[in-house]
Amino acid sequence: MSILLKGGIVVSAHGRRQVDVRIDGEKIVEVSTNLKAEDSTIEDVSGCFLLPGFIDAHTHLELNNGKGSMSTADNFYTGSKAAVAKGTTAVIDMATPSKGSSLKDCLATWNQLASGNSSCDYTYHMSIIEWNPSIKKEIKEMIEDGITSFKMYMAYDNLRTTDAEIFEAMREIRKYQGMLGIHCENGDLVNEMIAKFVAEGKLSPHYHPLTRPDSVEAEAVERYLMIAKLADLPVNIVHLSTKRALEAVKRARSRKQKVYVETCPQYLVLDDHLYDGPDFEGAKYVCSPPLRSINDQHALWDGIMDGQVNTISTDHCSFNFEGQKTTGKDDFSKIPNGMPGVETRPELIYTYGVTTGKISLERMVALLSEDIAKQFSLYPQKGIIQAGSDADIVIWDPKKTGVISAATQLQNVDYTPYDGMQTRGQAKSVYLRGQKVAESGRVILEKQGKFVFRNITPIDE
Ligand SMILES: [Zn+2]
């Protein structure tokens, strides 16, 4: 039985048209004006925008990095439900191996976490946390298994590799035209700054951002882009948060480098005064990179408006305030890093970006869906409403208003960094590969998510 979505306005990164959309099975089969009902069930979507399902290219839905570390409050089941309820139909989660284990084992672990539990479609960026001949060999194997993107770290002692290792990994990834994203912060400097403040007895959350100033990010971005230039690899920068780092990107682009920049809602709507909240509230905002100044926030919005910033994902990594964040009560460096956000991205960007006139709805579609799909080899299966694509469709009601609240959220965590914020625009219903899975912010059909196999064409060398 096919479905005919009638009377809505279909939006892509390049424009909008009042057209009807026919879905048959998992696919969109027709997009045109005045389609006849034939044997389709008609769904009246007039007054709404039809947006391609949002893709979150940066989540840690379920994370537990080795001995003694904490597991995230969300897992694949709860995180993916929160995602799809508000319009995110696919996530690219960060698959992170433990030291000494193979990428293949990590992939198997992540498949086990997601398979049968996820309410949105999913794939992963494979993290490379150490470099040796067997990991090198596995790059090709990952790509053959449909994992075309990788993640590396310049900070966190348990995750980071050396510049030489980053360079070698880039050379290997380049052979297969894979995509690499890096967490850019100078890990040595972060360690020094933490040690300094701790030695001085400066232990409140106020000091967290001071251990990771903009120079720590900008230096790492500059160095990473220099290494990428040597390796001749187009690269992605995840969660870019500062004006100075964005200036490093502009310099790289002026020397003709291909660079992709991701930022996150927390750097666009929150700022670093929140670390000074009463009753240890600042701990709720401890993430890395940290929240930044208003000046940085403005620079990021400018980057979004002029195209220097390519995508917005969330870096969703949720820890409860009580019992998890509070373990750092006497020492900010022990507060687990990360914030929830997979649920709130569409409403925040619509409210703070589109309704303020900063960006068009078309630009929002590019930032949250189409350009992510293109960058990570999901396009045109995902990221666009056209015949042949997966029927991942968000029926967006621009008139709906709401208030973000920890009490009503679906994320399985005891707070939200956006508590009390008023929003405009909301997913009225959400289709995942042709099935209506969410309505009015509630999931009506869960665990329908599937692994998305990605393909890239190898380049000739
Ligand atoms: Zn992350």
Side-chain angles (χ1 to χ4, degrees):
M1 190 65 168
S2 60
I3 302 164
L4 184 60
L5 304 174
K6 242 187 160 358
I9 295 171
V10 171
V11 184
S12 78
H14 304 286
R16 60 184 77 186
R17 291 184 301 156
Q18 176 132 25
V19 278
D20 302 333
V21 176
R22 197 187 315 272
I23 299 170
D24 197 3
E26 297 195 333
K27 298 287 183 185
I28 295 163
V29 291
E30 251 183 311
V31 180
S32 189
T33 47
N34 299 316
L35 288 176
K36 297 263 182 312
E38 295 172 12
D39 63 351
S40 303
T41 308
I42 294 185
E43 176 108 12
D44 179 10
V45 291
S46 47
C48 290
F49 294 111
L50 274 59
L51 312 179
F54 305 125
I55 302 164
D56 192 334
H58 191 157
T59 63
H60 305 266
L61 289 189
E62 190 156 353
L63 185 72
N64 177 9
N65 275 327
K67 272 191 259 96
S69 71
M70 251 174 239
S71 298
T72 47
D74 275 299
N75 57 28
F76 245 99
Y77 173 65
T78 62
S80 65
K81 265 183 90 168
V84 86
K86 306 296 170 70
T88 296
T89 51
V91 294
I92 312 181
D93 201 64
M94 298 291 174
T96 313
S98 14
K99 276 256 156 75
S101 83
S102 67
L103 304 187
K104 202 179 178 59
D105 284 348
C106 178
L107 178 57
T109 302
W110 250 255
N111 277 332
Q112 208 170 20
L113 295 173
S115 172
N117 289 322
S118 187
S119 292
C120 64
D121 281 356
Y122 55 89
T123 178
Y124 327 108
H125 304 293
M126 182 53 65
S127 299
I128 300 168
I129 64 162
E130 57 195 329
W131 188 250
N132 55 48
S134 70
I135 299 282
K136 181 179 176 185
K137 209 169 120 259
E138 285 197 280
I139 301 286
K140 181 166 184 261
E141 293 166 15
M142 283 299 113
I143 287 175
E144 287 167 354
D145 285 340
I147 303 297
T148 60
S149 53
F150 300 87
K151 167 89 180 281
M152 296 182 83
Y153 292 82
M154 296 170 92
Y156 297 123
D157 291 347
N158 58 333
L159 298 171
R160 65 179 166 139
T161 53
T162 66
D163 292 350
E165 291 167 334
I166 289 172
F167 178 69
E168 287 186 27
M170 283 177 175
R171 294 294 298 165
E172 197 60 21
I173 291 167
R174 185 182 179 278
K175 282 187 194 165
Y176 311 102
Q177 257 184 296
M179 177 59 59
L180 176 66
I182 292 207
H183 176 123
C184 294
E185 287 186 300
N186 183 315
D188 284 346
L189 292 182
V190 170
N191 290 347
E192 288 294 313
M193 303 291 275
I194 290 174
K196 173 180 171 286
F197 286 118
V198 170
E200 291 168 0
K202 295 172 172 168
L203 299 167
S204 74
H206 170 82
Y207 294 98
H208 169 69
L210 303 182
T211 62
R212 319 176 94 103
D214 63 352
S215 50
V216 159
E217 180 181 66
E219 185 280 329
V221 166
E222 190 92 56
R223 180 157 42 99
Y224 170 45
L225 293 178
M226 291 292 181
I227 302 169
K229 176 78 177 162
L230 266 183
D232 191 23
L233 180 75
V235 286
N236 184 36
I237 298 168
V238 300
H239 53 46
L240 185 128
S241 65
T242 60
K243 182 172 194 273
R244 287 179 89 175
L246 196 55
E247 282 165 359
V249 170
K250 290 177 190 170
R251 282 194 289 280
R253 284 177 173 152
S254 71
R255 55 181 188 255
K256 302 276 185 285
Q257 261 183 275
K258 182 85 183 153
V259 183
Y260 298 91
V261 173
E262 168 198 282
T263 192
C264 313
Q266 55 269 34
Y267 306 117
L268 297 169
V269 307
L270 305 175
D271 65 78
D272 55 7
H273 86 276
L274 290 162
Y275 292 112
D276 295 331
D279 304 324
F280 197 58
E281 289 268 315
K284 292 178 175 175
Y285 309 95
V286 168
C287 59
S288 295
L291 302 181
R292 301 298 189 178
S293 69
I294 293 287
N295 193 28
D296 287 310
Q297 199 183 91
H298 289 162
L300 292 177
W301 275 114
D302 287 345
I304 283 171
M305 291 185 276
D306 68 15
Q308 296 281 349
V309 174
N310 305 91
T311 61
I312 302 174
S313 288
T314 65
D315 199 9
H316 175 96
C317 186
S318 62
F319 294 102
N320 285 318
F321 179 69
E322 292 297 339
Q324 293 195 301
K325 293 283 190 182
T326 51
T327 55
K329 203 144 183 72
D330 302 320
D331 179 353
F332 72 87
S333 70
K334 299 200 165 62
I335 300 168
N337 270 238
M339 297 203 297
V342 74
E343 180 173 345
T344 42
R345 177 184 59 144
E347 290 172 11
L348 286 172
I349 300 305
Y350 190 82
T351 303
Y352 288 86
V354 178
T355 72
T356 59
K358 286 193 178 77
I359 58 171
S360 63
L361 186 54
E362 285 82 352
R363 182 83 184 115
M364 173 170 149
V365 166
L367 290 157
L368 270 57
S369 181
E370 187 169 323
D371 288 357
I372 293 178
K374 286 178 173 164
Q375 185 183 344
F376 294 108
S377 306
L378 289 161
Y379 188 87
Q381 183 184 348
K382 308 222 178 260
I384 187 151
I385 296 176
Q386 67 180 23
S389 294
D390 283 355
D392 297 344
I393 300 172
V394 181
I395 313 296
W396 188 262
D397 185 345
K399 293 181 295 297
K400 272 260 189 252
T401 57
V403 178
I404 295 174
S405 143
T408 56
Q409 71 179 349
L410 294 174
Q411 293 167 152
N412 186 38
V413 53
D414 64 2
Y415 79 100
T416 160
Y418 311 104
D419 214 8
M421 284 190 177
Q422 304 207 338
T423 58
R424 283 174 63 193
Q426 207 173 90
K428 190 177 174 203
S429 50
V430 182
Y431 287 83
L432 173 67
R433 279 178 289 98
Q435 284 188 295
K436 192 193 280 189
V437 293
E439 214 161 33
S440 306
R442 282 180 31 254
V443 176
I444 55 171
L445 194 57
E446 63 177 35
K447 297 184 179 178
Q448 299 300 306
K450 278 191 195 163
F451 176 75
V452 190
F453 191 99
R454 294 180 285 155
N455 273 305
I456 37 178
T457 320
I459 51 167
D460 298 324
E461 279 202 299

